[in-house]
Amino acid sequence: MPEKKDNKRSKNEITEIDDTYQDKQKRKKRRIIVAALLAVIGCFVIYYQMSHVKMPDFTDKSLSDARLWATKNKLKVSTKQEFSLKKEANVVMSQSNQAGRRVKKGTTIRLNISKGPNPNQQLELPDFSKLSKPLAEKWIEENKATNLSLIEEYSDTAEKGKFLKFEIANSDVSEKKYRRKDAAKVFYSKGKETYKKDISVPNFVRQTRNEVETWAKNNEINMTYEETTSNDLPVDSVISQSLAKDEKIAKKDEMTVVVSLGKGYVIPNFSDFSMEDAANAIDGVQVQARGIYTDNLPYGQLVSQSVPAGTVLNAKNDLRVEAVYSLGQPYLKDLRGSYVEGDLQKYFYDEFNSKGVNINYTIRQVDSDQPKGTVVGMSVHNIFLPLNYTVSIDISLGNLGSASTSIPNNQKEQPTED
């Protein structure tokens, strides 16, 4: 039977032993141990990678960039600020952690931050009048004088690029005490400004001066105003203009308009008028005619006039003229018996002093039978006098027996002195 043959064959098989079995088991264990160690190391590396971050180089970068990175990577930032001429404000100058190294999250990184140039530092200003604009810009950049501005403006006298002036905003700060924080300006010329002739000139005739002034101001025109009288146009109306209507003009160009002063009044020679007629010689002008005594001019001859003949007056002038005529020589009439002492002041002023002569009088009290205060004697009377003269007048004391209390006929309405 076949089964019996198989059993017999099995009994005859020899068992073989593998001498490398133990080595294989050892190698297997080592691989397991190495794998375990690698797994541990891997976990540590992963943890390290997750709990640490690579430090960038923030030098010359802004503080805001460093803070943003630190917040994103869960780090704290500590700053120390100091002035610097080389770095702008809020720029990182140095850092405590070396760039490229890993930093544990949650720790603090320390940064040195620039505060920019010291605003209180005193600067030695150069002589800008000897510096061109590019050299001035270079000095400002080198000294970080950020509050010092270079201004260009047009100039009719200085060529382009020429220094014009230097100004410090605070008048209490001198150039020797200038600090970086002080505001100042250096002005340089842009040369003479040129404009295009694109302004159309209106017709100003019969317009008012105010309208011309407004147009000239709005268009920056150098307008000149000439004035003359006109019997046709009212005061301040334009009579003519130097540039025709619709002619083109540019800013800063010059132009002239002639403006009316109103009606003109031609002053006549008042020697052609009598003193009585002079007041009505010119319509619209007030003429004051008066007389004065003279040594050598006949009565009625013109002595002077306040405004020369031929002068043209207008509404802007004083429309008053004085014409002075000669009254001839002063004449002293006989005052005896008709004047009392109280009337003499008025008589001598009205008759002589107000008319340009210096004729005075002296009083002497005398015994008389005439009423007290009556003029009873004169050193001269009924005579022509020089322009400077003093008259002696006798006044009655009314102390003689036959003295009457009556007063001169021309004084009856005036009270007498006791």
Side-chain angles (χ1 to χ4, degrees), residues 43-53 102-103:
C43 291
F44 177 78
V45 169
I46 292 172
Y47 168 77
Y48 184 85
Q49 292 288 343
M50 294 181 65
S51 62
H52 288 71
V53 63
R102 304 193 73 81
V103 182

Side-chain angles (χ1 to χ4, degrees), residues 226-239 258-266 312-317 319:
E226 296 179 355
E227 297 177 320
T228 188
T229 57
S230 171
N231 294 330
D232 299 323
L233 294 176
V235 176
D236 284 340
S237 294
V238 176
I239 300 172
V258 180
V259 180
S260 171
L261 290 172
K263 184 178 179 180
Y265 303 92
V266 182
V312 181
L313 299 183
N314 56 73
K316 292 188 176 182
N317 299 129
L319 296 178

Side-chain angles (χ1 to χ4, degrees), residues 1 30 36 39 97 104 111 192-193 224 236 246 259 263 268-269 311 330 362 372 380 382 386 397 401 407:
M1 297 199 40
R30 284 199 295 270
N97 300 86
K104 186 177 181 181
L111 304 175
K192 189 174 183 179
E193 187 173 10
T224 299
D236 284 340
D246 295 331
V259 180
K263 184 178 179 180
N269 188 337
T311 302
T362 60
K372 183 180 180 181
V380 292
N382 294 334
L397 289 170
I407 60 176

Side-chain angles (χ1 to χ4, degrees), residues 267-310:
I267 303 303
N269 188 337
F270 282 97
S271 63
D272 297 333
F273 297 85
S274 67
M275 184 165 61
E276 292 74 16
D277 295 336
N280 299 316
I282 321 171
D283 291 335
V285 177
Q286 180 182 347
V287 180
Q288 179 186 4
R290 66 183 183 91
I292 63 170
Y293 289 112
T294 61
D295 270 334
N296 51 8
L297 294 178
Y299 182 90
Q301 184 169 328
L302 181 70
V303 177
S304 65
Q305 57 187 77
S306 60
V307 179

Side-chain angles (χ1 to χ4, degrees), residues 128-189:
F128 287 106
S129 65
K130 297 180 180 179
L131 292 184
S132 64
K133 185 171 179 286
L135 289 177
E137 290 174 338
K138 182 179 179 182
W139 182 89
I140 291 173
E141 175 61 27
E142 290 176 349
N143 291 273
K144 305 300 179 186
T146 53
N147 284 319
L148 199 157
S149 305
L150 299 183
I151 309 296
E152 285 187 312
E153 62 180 26
Y154 290 107
S155 173
D156 292 335
T157 56
E159 62 184 23
K160 185 176 181 180
K162 275 285 188 180
F163 168 83
L164 295 177
K165 59 183 177 179
F166 173 75
E167 291 180 352
I168 297 177
N170 187 347
S171 59
D172 295 331
V173 177
S174 66
E175 292 187 28
K176 291 185 177 179
K177 293 185 178 180
Y178 177 80
R179 295 166 297 177
R180 185 175 280 109
K181 70 177 183 180
D182 295 322
K185 296 178 181 179
V186 184
F187 293 85
Y188 286 92
S189 172

